Amino acid sequence: AAGVIQSPRHLIKEKRETATLKCYPIPRHDTVYWYQQGPGQDPQFLISFYEKMQSDKGSIPDRFSAQQFSDYHSELNMSSLELGDSALYFCASSPRTPTYGYTFGSGTRLTVV
Amino acid sequence: GQQLNQSPQSMFIQEGEDVSMNCTSSSIFNTWLWYKQDPGEGPVLLIALYKAGELTSNGRLTAQFGITRKDSFLNISASIPSDVGIYFCAGRKRDSNYQLIWGAGTKLIIKP
């Protein structure tokens, strides 16, 4: 069965650079969630989208933005990167009513140097 | 701050032992989810619970949705080496727009 696809798998950027992370949800899932997970931390909710509209906002910095496109894939844009942005970034998808929970991708490991 | 208290933080057990972990909150949840995360991978859903008192099994795993709707536990019976990993509880409150609130995780380590 198709899973949530995230790209790239690993990304190394320098401080003050920009990064774009991509997420392709499971077919027929119209809701996408972005999470940030620091080392030894639980996932922290950043933002979610339903039907291409932002549906909820968590602890997403103003330097980050995200959107969901007509094919339901989503992109997380990160600018003016800081060392503290180094983390695993997960995308999850679900139908609007997530009866069976959310399905997570394998994540993008971002390292800012 | 952490809205879900997950314990224990870590467990060292022998292969074959049973494992128990739980999550509690001062808030009422409509959904409890238990995930397992391997290093460098995304969390994988193990069990989902939707009704107070619900007891659900998935192989050697059993989880329950507490009657008060403020807690949940996960049991693993006869642990095996591949059970190693971090187990997270996650809950969803009513009117939360489906956002999940996460516990801090329980790290399961099996002694050789």
Side-chain angles (χ1 to χ4, degrees), chain B residues 54-98:
Chain B
E54 180 181 355
L55 183 71
T56 298
S57 292
N58 177 7
R60 294 178 295 106
L61 278 59
T62 302
Q64 185 160 29
F65 193 141
I67 289 289
T68 64
R69 310 180 76 95
K70 295 180 179 181
D71 63 336
S72 176
F73 71 74
L74 174 71
N75 287 339
I76 305 173
S77 62
S79 57
I80 60 178
S82 62
D83 290 335
V84 164
I86 300 178
Y87 292 80
F88 288 100
C89 65
R92 181 175 67 83
K93 299 179 185 179
R94 187 175 19 172
D95 301 330
S96 69
N97 232 3
Y98 304 110

Side-chain angles (χ1 to χ4, degrees), chain A residues 50-99:
Chain A
Y50 166 64
E51 284 290 346
K52 293 150 279 184
M53 299 287 289
Q54 180 184 308
S55 60
D56 204 358
K57 195 171 182 179
S59 53
I60 185 169
D62 292 339
R63 298 177 290 108
F64 295 5
S65 65
Q67 57 183 323
Q68 187 179 31
F69 295 86
S70 58
D71 63 351
Y72 296 107
H73 95 271
S74 178
E75 295 183 3
L76 178 66
N77 299 296
M78 311 159 73
S79 62
S80 303
L81 287 169
E82 303 173 355
L83 295 177
D85 295 329
S86 296
L88 270 169
Y89 290 83
F90 291 108
C91 169
S93 75
S94 75
R96 182 61 180 131
T97 304
T99 304

